[in-house]
Structure formats: structure tokens, C-alpha cells
Amino acid sequence: MITPHTDPAADLDAERLPASVGPGDSGVPAYRLPPEIVPIHYRLVLTPDLGSATFSGEVDIDIDVTEAVGSLTLNAAELDIPVAALSTEDDGSPRTPVSIAFDEAEERVTLTFSQPLPTGPATLHLEFSGVLNDKLHGFYRSTFTDEAGTEHVIATTQMEATDARRAFPCWDEPDRKATFDITLVVGEGLAAYSNGPAVEDTPEPGGGRRVRFGPTMKMSTYLVAFVVGPLEATEPVDVDGVPLRIVHAPGKAGLTPFALEVGAHALRFFTEYFALPYPADKLDLVAIPDFAFGAMENLGCVTFRESVLLVDPAQASRTELERVADVVCHEIAHMWFGDLVTMKWWNGIWLNEAFATFMEVLAVDAFRPEWHRWVSFGVEREAAMAVDGLHATRPVEFPVGRPEEAQGMFDVLTYQKGGSVLRMLEQFLGPDVFRDGIRSSLTTHSHANTETTDLWDALEAASGRPVRNIMTTWIDQGGYPLVRVGEDGSLTQVPFSYRDPAGGAIGTAWKVPVLTRSLRSDDTLPESLLLDGADGSPAGTAADRLVNAGGSGFYRVAYPAAFVEQLASSIGTLAPLERYNLVSDTWAAALSGQGPLGDLLRIARALVTSGEGDPSVWSVVLGAIGLWDRVIPDGDRSVLATAIRSLLGPLAVALGWDPRREDTERTPMLRASVLRTLGTVGADSDVRSEAARRFALAEDGTVPLQADTAAAVLDIVAAAGGRVEFDAYLARYRSPATPQEENRYLYALASFDDPELAHRAFDLALHEVRTQNAPFVLQSLVANRRTGPAVWQWITDDWDDVVERFPANIVPRMLDGVRTLCNPPSLADEVIAFVEGHPLPSGGRTVEQILERLAVNVAFGQREGGGLADLLREQLGTGTG
């Protein structure tokens, strides 16, 4: 979720030093709780006061004292604990500690007793209080405004990674699993939800209700959840004995059926795939108005941003529906892999998230096969490769000492790279063999904690392949290989890097599971080989064969020039993901200076000739155009616009603006992206006129915007729009029909080219927009070619206020927009100097990667920008523009 400010390599060295050992050199690292106390069961009672934004509570924790010690230490942060007592079987009365000492830096509290505690079972009683914070972590407050304009408050939780300690004192480490009985004391008219089903609901003498929930299975503290507020729940859907509900703000019940359908599918799909029953008694999917992440896999009580749970299929784009399906399936997959079986320590969190990413795509592909979800996942994989080809990349798994260091794993390398290498392994071993290994691992380790190697060993046993040796090369070092195909078909590998030579955290050699196939239509079955050319010597052969058959490999491929021409001329015979890889590998070569940019233009022409209709394949070309728009000299900008119209104009005419009978499920995504590029960078007057006409009709209530092209229309209108259009967008943002419409109009506010309007959007982000969204508005504003430099100056002027206002884990995401500030290079130099001179408290590695991507873009512009217009004229026949 958020990135550590320390270097993982440095962490490894520090972990080996005596300084990392706790008091007395006991062998326990200072960041770990002492092992002598084992939590068994929590009986937790919480009373939130939504009006005062505070809460009080008490907890009785059954523990096992394994050694006679004079004190016990557990986690607590931002809590007052005025009362503590310990009862044992031998005591006539509870023991009270002689001192309660807080360590704010370590987020701990130590209770010291006058006599050593006897070994055996005991019960620790604590009373505590805290504040419902506004930082979207721990036990925090969220708000929503109803249709009458009245604001309502919700108390909700986000415990991962180490914020349960902000809600109640606990042993807040993933391998300190326990069971939980949770009771919430709530005001009149408020609903309450937690991990278990409500088993008792009784009135309180002074008003309000006491809601007791059934006990949970043995689980980690980061999975505990409670939600209190004026919320409603759908009637439960019985999914083979599991009650499934959606919890939402009043008035949004009509936005729940799609997620219920996806949720029911996911429960059945994973129960069958894992060959294990769902591990909880019920499943509530809870929509939270203010939520820092996409969703959180709390056992039985999964919390979501509203926009990735509540959706009206009639008003949502295909992309928006896919996003909801993805997130719902991802979180439900966690009920088994993450909740039932959990990593021992935070270094293993990558596998939780990578595996859930893999399973999400697998489940959605089964839910809607016509969406071709593994093809669109290629775009996500490419996002990971864009980071993993940097010197500032990192290993997928690295040693984690202090828990906050694990925050560096919540990024594209964990989710997308991790999910991609699992897919590569699945395709190499075979889907059935892979599934059998997963089933074995989950069954063996149910209700327990594991290391990454436990999974590799299970897959190795199921397949007979050296899985541990293969996967170690992908997980324990950063980067990925470029597989070179020789004239004789020999295969060799070298590290791929956007900056020559490869260095930093990029590894040196991989055991590459390679699938190849013939290009002959009568011989398409893939053959597998394991490329292990650690010394760079040839290994394997692929004469006249397509390498990375099926497209699931996490590596790039470089063919001899003649074979590239052959592939380009027969590109229509390749599968969509194979075509995607050919285009993305060609663009990566050009961006890194390892191949001519003209190759990409030749392939783009081949896509037009072959009638390419896959939006993922085209997304590579459209993304490249976005960078060209940054680096081309202003005097040549008309040449670029003309080239875009020449390349995309006929495709746009063929696609039209409205759905056609011959459309596939993926056509709407292509239509939107092509029209957006034509109407913005291409400055196509016909496209702009039609977008303006459709927007006007929508504004006067005549014809609503078609969902799949709505966001594109808004961006096109904004590109030439002014104050009237901005005010219309703002009004629709403030009174949206759906969460998706709210996001469309919000982020479109960043697309206006007028500096005055950009400043209004900047002020809105700082003072009105929810803190979960505002950093992404600023990111988009910075990425606006015309107003981005000015917005960046405003951000730097208000830097301290900006950093203070937003949750620390999201601020690095705001900076992602600066990688587009590559022209002139002097601007990039100023950005780098400022960011390096103002380090963030977290997210250091992510920021390093953003700045390196900025440097890569600068280098590309210096290398290609001056000659880009001539190349476009030569390759696309655009004349003088």
C-alpha cells in the first residue's frame, strides 16, 4: 500500500547487525514483540461516539504465558489505557501492573508487574479510548451526504498493515493469530457490522444497542473489521449456504445487483478451485465513502471504495464493470489465500497480493469469457515491466525488518509483476497441475502461517519441476530478461533496462520458462523449454518459431530484423496477447534506445492494414503518442496532429461513436481510446465538434452520454472548453448519479488547458475533494501538458500543506504525474532537485522510480524529439502538416 523510506538492500544489512536485536540480546529483533506471551482469544467491546469522533473500549485477551516474565508487551498506538489487570488460574484476585509504559516510537505498551507471571493460561483485561481519526487508517471516520443534503458520519476500519493497534491493544503481528468475539455498542438508528454474523442485539439501558457478533476463525489482527453508521444492507443471497450481502449508504440499493452477481460467482468459483469451503460464516461487502485503497480483505466483512462495488451496468462503461468484477474477485480470493492461510511475516505479503491478483483475473475470465481478461491483463503486466526495467526497481520479495518496511510491497511489482510470474508459472506447469499444487498448499497450512517457499515446494511436488529454483530467480532479484533470438534460432538472455547498462537492483540471469510455437496454422501447439543461460551462452532453440507463445511470459523478446518483418506482415495470425507483446516489446526497445522508433510506426501501419480491433494492442501505440506529444517541438506539433489523424482517422470512422451490431465486448474500449486521442492530441475538428454536440445534448437532458465513451467525450470537450464547461463538470461531480459518474467528472476537471481553470481544480483538490481522491486529481493536473508546469509550481509552493493534508500512503501516488514533465529538460532537472530535496516520510522507492521514469522520458525526448516530425512524415506520409 505504501512504500518504505529505506533501501531494502540496506535493510538486509541492518537486520544482521546486533542493533536489530532486542534488549538483552535475546535473539528477538527489536521490532518484534517478545514471544513469551501467546494471544489465544480476544473478547472486544467498542463504543464509538460518532458525534465527538472518539471511541472507548475494553478487551479481555486470553493468553498463554510460556515463560515466567515480569512484564508483558503488546502493540498500542494513539490510545489511552487507564485500566489494566491480569488474572491467572492461581490468583485469588487480578494482578494490576505497577506501571503502564508507552513507547510511542515503537507503538507499544509494556505492563510491568511486581512479581513474575506464572506460566500457563491467563486473561489480560484492558480499558482504553481513542480518537476516530481522519487519516483513513485504524478506526477512522468517514462521511457522506444524503439526498436531502444532510451529512452523516460512519466509523470504519482499515487495519492492514499495522493499524489494528490504533483501534485496540493487541499483538499486532501476522503470525500472532487468535480468535475474536467482537461487540459494538452503537447509537439509535445506527447499523453495525463486523467479521462474524450478529448473534445478539439488545437495547442499552441509556439508549442505543449492544450488538454481539459470532466468533471468528483463528486469524491475524490486520483482518479485524468493524463498521458503524446509518447504513443499509441488501437482503442476503444464499450462495450454497453462505449468506452474501452488500452494505451501502441509504438510497444506493439499486447499485448492488452486479456486485452481488460477481460475489456469488467468486464464492462458488474459489470453493471449487481450492477444494475448500469458504472459511467464514457470512460475507458482507461494505461500500465506504472514504477509503484509501481499492478494498480490504477483512474476513467476512470486506470493505471497498464505493466506485469499485456500487455500479449500475446500464450507466457504466465496460472498463468500469470490469474494475468492479476484478476487485470483488480479488478480495474474495483473499478469504482463502491471506485469511485462511497467512504469511508468517510481512516479507511474505507480496504472495498474498500477487496470488489474489492472479486469482482475480482467473475468476473474472471465467465470469465473462468474452471480456478476454487475460489479454487486458497484458496492459497491467506492462505497467509492472515499465517499473521493473528501471535501476530503481526492487526484488518482489525482500527482507523486511520493521513492519512499516512492508509498506514498500504494496505496489505494481507485488500485484502486477507477482501475478504475472504466477501466470507464467501456471502456463509452464499446466493449469491442472498448478491448481493441484495450490490445493495441497492451502489444505496443509489452513489456519496457519507460511513462508513463500512452502508454496513453491507444494507446486514442485505436484509437477516434478524445479519450481523453487525457477521462482527464486524471479522473486529474489529485480528486473527481467530480454530473450534474444539468434539467426539460427538460438536463445540467449540479457537483463533488460531502460537505461544502459543494466544496473541498480536489476538482476543478472533468470531461469526463464519459455513457450514457443510454429507460425504455421497447422502447428500451433506450444513447446516448452527452460532457458537457463546464466553465462549468456545459447540455451534452447526457436528456429522459425514464435517465442513467448500465448504471451504469458514476463520477459521481452528481440528477433532478427527479417523475422520482425515476417511477424509484422502476418500480425493478424497472432493471438491478441501475442500481438500485444510484439508491439510493447518494440516500443520498449525504442523508448530505451535499443531499437529504432520507426519499427513501432511500421507495426502501427500493419495494425491498420490488418484491421486490428483489440484495445490492448492499440493501447501501446496510443501511449507512445502521449509521450511524443510531450517531446515534439512546438513548431512541429501540427505534424504530429496530422499524423495521428492519418493513422487513426479511418479506424475512428469504422468504429463510429455508437455501439454497432458487430462490436465485440472489447470494441467499446477501443472506440473510446481512439476518439480520445484523435480529439485531444490529434485536434481533429470533426471529433471535437461531435463531442461538443453530444455533451450539449446530455446537459440539456435530451440524450445522456453513452457510458463507454462518456469519459472520452469529457476529455475532448475539456481540451477546447472554458469556464462554462468547467462549471457544468463541477456541478455533475457534486451531484452524481453513480460513483462512476462522480469519478468521470472529477478527473475531467484536470483536462482543461486554461490555467485559471486548472487553479480552480487545484483549489478543489486541496479543500473539497475527498482525501482518497484529491492526490489523484493533482496527479492528473500535473500530467496536463499545458498546465502541468504551473500546477507543479503551486504544489511546491504549498508543499507542507499538501503533504499534511493527505494520507501519507497516497502522497507518493500524487507525484506520479511529474514523470511527464520531461520537456524542456531544465524543467525535469528542477522537479528532480525539488523532490530529492523534500523527501517524503514514506514511499521513497516509489518516488525514486518516478524520477527515473522522468529521466528515461527526458533521454527519449533528447534522442528522438528533434527528428520526430521527419520520421512521421516518412512513415505515415503526413506531408508538412
Side-chain angles (χ1 to χ4, degrees), residues 169-222:
C170 57
W171 277 263
D172 199 13
E173 296 181 347
D175 61 351
R176 302 297 186 95
K177 283 189 167 186
T179 53
F180 295 81
D181 272 312
I182 295 172
T183 297
L184 297 174
V185 181
V186 303
E188 294 292 347
L190 301 180
Y193 307 92
S194 188
N195 302 94
V199 295
E200 188 176 85
D201 191 331
T202 57
E204 285 286 280
R209 298 163 24 251
R210 178 175 292 257
V211 184
R212 183 170 66 86
F213 299 89
T216 71
M217 71 174 185
K218 190 177 179 182
M219 68 181 194
S220 304
T221 49
Y222 79 86

Side-chain angles (χ1 to χ4, degrees), residues 756-778:
E756 179 184 343
L757 299 178
H759 201 280
R760 286 182 62 188
F762 174 79
D763 286 340
L764 286 165
L766 263 57
H767 302 109
E768 177 178 335
V769 178
R770 293 183 187 273
T771 57
Q772 66 177 9
N773 296 326
F776 299 100
V777 175
L778 295 180

Side-chain angles (χ1 to χ4, degrees), residues 283-568:
L283 179 57
D284 289 336
L285 310 180
V286 187
I288 304 296
D290 296 280
F291 198 77
F293 311 111
M296 177 61 208
E297 65 268 20
N298 316 302
L299 179 72
C301 187
V302 183
T303 44
F304 295 77
R305 281 192 180 209
E306 289 187 325
S307 61
V308 294
L309 184 66
L310 306 178
V311 65
D312 178 2
Q315 300 184 64
S317 69
R318 252 279 289 110
T319 301
E320 291 162 347
L321 287 176
E322 187 175 288
R323 176 64 175 156
V324 171
D326 282 352
V327 178
V328 171
C329 288
H330 183 104
E331 302 308 321
I332 295 178
H334 271 308
M335 301 297 104
W336 286 265
F337 210 101
D339 294 9
L340 180 65
V341 178
T342 312
M343 69 278 162
K344 285 184 179 178
W345 188 241
W346 296 108
N347 62 296
I349 193 66
W350 82 267
L351 189 55
N352 273 17
E353 298 302 343
F355 190 80
T357 300
F358 168 82
M359 292 305 305
E360 126 201 351
V361 182
L362 196 68
V364 173
D365 196 52
F367 176 65
R368 290 286 189 271
E370 63 273 19
W371 287 0
H372 298 288
R373 188 62 186 87
W374 283 115
V375 177
S376 59
F377 184 67
V379 180
E380 299 173 44
R381 180 189 61 195
E382 182 64 26
M385 297 181 87
V387 171
D388 207 26
L390 303 172
H391 291 191
T393 189
R394 62 165 178 84
V396 172
E397 180 170 344
F398 55 82
V400 170
R402 307 181 66 81
E404 57 267 26
E405 294 167 9
Q407 296 167 344
M409 288 190 175
F410 294 94
D411 65 1
V412 70
L413 296 175
T414 283
Y415 289 79
Q416 279 69 38
K417 180 181 179 179
S420 295
V421 297
L422 289 174
R423 173 64 169 176
M424 177 173 64
L425 181 64
E426 182 226 27
Q427 292 294 288
F428 185 66
L429 300 180
D432 292 343
V433 171
F434 184 86
R435 182 200 59 206
D436 291 345
I438 296 300
R439 287 176 172 178
S440 173
S441 181
L442 286 176
T443 300
T444 300
H445 300 289
S446 289
H447 303 291
N449 298 82
T450 66
E451 300 280 8
T452 296
T453 51
D454 294 326
L455 178 61
W456 303 154
D457 292 346
L459 291 168
E460 195 162 296
S463 67
R465 300 260 198 164
V467 173
R468 185 192 278 223
N469 286 340
I470 293 171
M471 295 307 290
T472 295
T473 68
W474 293 94
I475 302 306
D476 292 350
Q477 61 181 347
Y480 54 88
L482 172 67
V483 175
R484 287 177 171 162
V485 184
E487 296 286 352
D488 59 353
S490 61
L491 300 180
T492 56
Q493 60 165 298
V494 295
F496 177 85
S497 175
Y498 285 102
R499 304 175 73 183
D500 189 46
I506 295 176
T508 56
W510 293 260
K511 296 183 186 298
V512 189
V514 176
L515 296 178
T516 72
R517 71 170 178 85
S518 170
L519 292 178
R520 298 198 309 269
S521 60
D522 60 344
D523 182 19
T524 58
L525 290 178
E527 295 180 359
S528 65
L529 61 89
L530 187 63
L531 175 58
D532 186 14
D535 59 356
S537 59
T541 182
D544 297 321
R545 296 180 69 83
L546 180 74
V547 177
N548 201 1
S552 62
F554 194 82
Y555 53 87
R556 301 197 186 279
V557 183
Y559 297 98
F563 197 69
V564 173
E565 292 289 345
Q566 181 183 346
L567 288 174

